[in-house]
Amino acid sequence: MSQQERAKFGSKLGMILATAGGAVGLGNVWRFPYMAGQNGGAAFILIYIGCILLLGLPCMISEFIIGRHAASNTARAYTKLANGTPWRLVGYLGVLTGFLITGYYAVVAGWCLQYSFASVMGHLHGTPEYFKSYFSTFSGNPWKPIMWTAAILLITHYIIIHGIRNGIERASKILMPALFILLLVIVVASCLLPGAGKGIEFLFKPDFSKVSRDVFLGALGQSFYSLSIAMGCICTYASYYSRQTKLLNSAVQISIIDTMVAILAGLMIFPAAFSVGVNPDSGPSLIFITLPNVFEQAFGGMPFVEFTISLGFYVLLSMAALTSLISLHEVSTAFFQEELHITRPKAATIVTTCTVLIGSVCSLSLGNWSFLSLFGKSLFDVFDFVTGQIFLPIGGLLTCLFIGWYVPKKLVKDEFTNWGTVRGSLFGAYYFLVRFICPLGILAIFLHQLQVI
């Protein structure tokens, strides 16, 4: 497919919402507010914003430059710029990472669909022990999680096969505004509860006594992962950008949307939790065990409100998961379509079929097939660890080194400034960050995760 024939986003709004949707995911809803609350509240948020500016934005712009310049899938984009050198393998790593994440991420996305269904059916009522038992029984079931995993991947498949404008862009224009509206409704309801002020204080009151090296590294890592750096998503979406797209402005707008969702998620969770005396925990237990109990206690006296909030929350989670899955799926779909020279529906079918299989095996490893484990971890946890703590940092590090030290500076500047039509006063700062600060920051995250430092 030539650059002239390649599909493009039809509008700036669609482009921003689609790319932001790829970044906004389940991590924004529970990981960011939990880390902020446990690591100094507003102090952590300030450090996080600083990390977005120093690490997230330069990395995102670098992937924008690679994707738009090559106008190809992630693997081919790096190959075009690598000129036959091993740097091309960085693109293949991005595609592989996105492909593997699609498989196991769909399992958790499927759980969100199941809880949406359970809310509609009125099953989310009971004691804390009931919610713990409900989640354990469901996640260990041999077929229900697989059914929901396949369901959300089929929804993703349907959107993907309709292309960039009629599929991804159209879906993003519906899903992202709906996500914001639901989020705001639940935030208002949560903040109006008696005692909600303690939760707001927990999130926003700076506690500098908790700031340590680990907090800085945690904020650095959160900024890296929340923007979907090195998953292939940003590079692939950038290949559909027009030559008039202002890359720096777009990166800033997407980062603002992503951070707003994360902060609003904190305002949704903590006021409700503290109003009933619950100290939220992290991970799946927060979303699928603690929060149903919180909603039960906080809104139990108002059955209709409880039903609406509970359903709205899990629909919100499902939409956040879906927008991420769409971008992840597109990485592999674009790769197979262009490298195998097949139609988009055929490429999407390959990806959907393979990721349903991966998701099924990952799901079963949490239940009946617990023998599927490595080094004491379930296959689900292995996929999470390998992609999140090894592939992503390595991919991000190599991308920065590739742009900062291999790709000609003139090419980078031309893309950054849209060939001189956009002011390039910040190019020097960007180029310094991507050459020195970003590699050192990502390396620090990587070594810390492996408990080397």
Side-chain angles (χ1 to χ4, degrees), residues 312-328:
F313 176 73
Y314 288 108
V315 170
L316 167 70
L317 282 180
S318 300
M319 289 193 297
L322 180 59
T323 57
S324 292
L325 273 178
I326 291 169
S327 64
L328 287 164

Side-chain angles (χ1 to χ4, degrees), residues 103-348:
Y104 81 83
Y105 188 82
V107 175
V108 183
W111 294 349
C112 297
L113 282 185
Q114 157 64 24
Y115 270 66
S116 298
F117 175 75
S119 296
V120 171
M121 300 304 294
H123 294 165
L124 298 183
H125 297 286
T127 63
E129 290 73 24
Y130 167 79
F131 291 118
K132 186 174 182 180
S133 174
Y134 184 91
F135 177 72
S136 178
T137 302
F138 165 69
S139 62
N141 189 283
W143 64 270
K144 280 187 179 180
I146 294 175
M147 178 188 73
W148 289 112
T149 298
I152 198 152
L153 281 170
L154 287 173
I155 294 170
T156 306
H157 177 88
Y158 177 81
I159 293 168
I160 290 291
I161 62 174
H162 283 81
I164 304 305
R165 294 191 183 186
N166 294 326
I168 295 172
E169 185 173 351
R170 181 175 293 177
S172 299
K173 285 181 176 180
I174 296 171
L175 290 171
M176 290 301 291
L179 187 152
F180 264 104
I181 291 169
L182 274 175
L183 192 52
L184 288 172
V185 168
I186 302 175
V187 164
V188 170
S190 181
C191 289
L192 289 177
L193 288 169
K198 292 180 180 179
I200 298 173
E201 181 180 340
F202 180 74
L203 180 64
F204 287 120
K205 184 179 180 181
D207 184 358
F208 294 103
S209 67
K210 293 185 178 180
V211 175
S212 64
R213 184 185 67 171
D214 286 351
V215 172
F216 275 93
L217 288 170
L220 207 59
Q222 179 66 22
S223 69
F224 186 69
Y225 299 127
S226 69
L227 294 177
S228 300
I229 305 295
M231 297 180 188
C233 307
I234 294 171
C235 185
T236 299
Y237 274 3
S239 72
Y240 305 124
Y241 286 6
S242 73
R243 293 296 176 185
Q244 289 71 46
T245 299
K246 297 177 180 178
L247 301 186
L248 175 60
N249 290 0
S250 298
V252 170
Q253 290 164 353
I254 291 162
S255 298
I256 289 173
I257 292 172
D258 187 72
T259 304
M260 281 178 58
V261 170
I263 294 174
L264 285 172
L267 285 172
M268 171 179 65
I269 292 170
F270 290 126
F274 275 81
S275 73
V276 295
V278 174
N279 187 17
D281 196 3
S282 64
S285 62
L286 171 62
I287 297 177
F288 301 107
I289 298 175
T290 306
L291 285 179
N293 179 46
V294 167
F295 295 146
E296 173 90 0
Q297 293 185 52
F299 302 103
M302 300 172 284
F304 178 75
V305 175
E306 180 197 349
F307 170 82
T308 303
I309 296 297
S310 179
L311 176 60
F313 176 73
Y314 288 108
V315 170
L316 167 70
L317 282 180
S318 300
M319 289 193 297
L322 180 59
T323 57
S324 292
L325 273 178
I326 291 169
S327 64
L328 287 164
H329 198 296
E330 177 62 20
V331 173
S332 301
T333 298
F335 173 77
F336 285 119
Q337 181 184 3
E338 293 173 20
E339 300 308 311
L340 299 181
H341 304 289
I342 57 179
T343 64
R344 168 172 281 267
K346 287 182 180 178

Side-chain angles (χ1 to χ4, degrees), residues 80-107:
K80 284 183 177 181
L81 289 170
N83 296 318
T85 65
W87 284 110
R88 69 184 186 279
L89 297 177
V90 182
Y92 286 93
L93 176 63
V95 173
L96 176 62
T97 303
F99 180 73
L100 296 178
I101 291 176
T102 306
Y104 81 83
Y105 188 82
V107 175

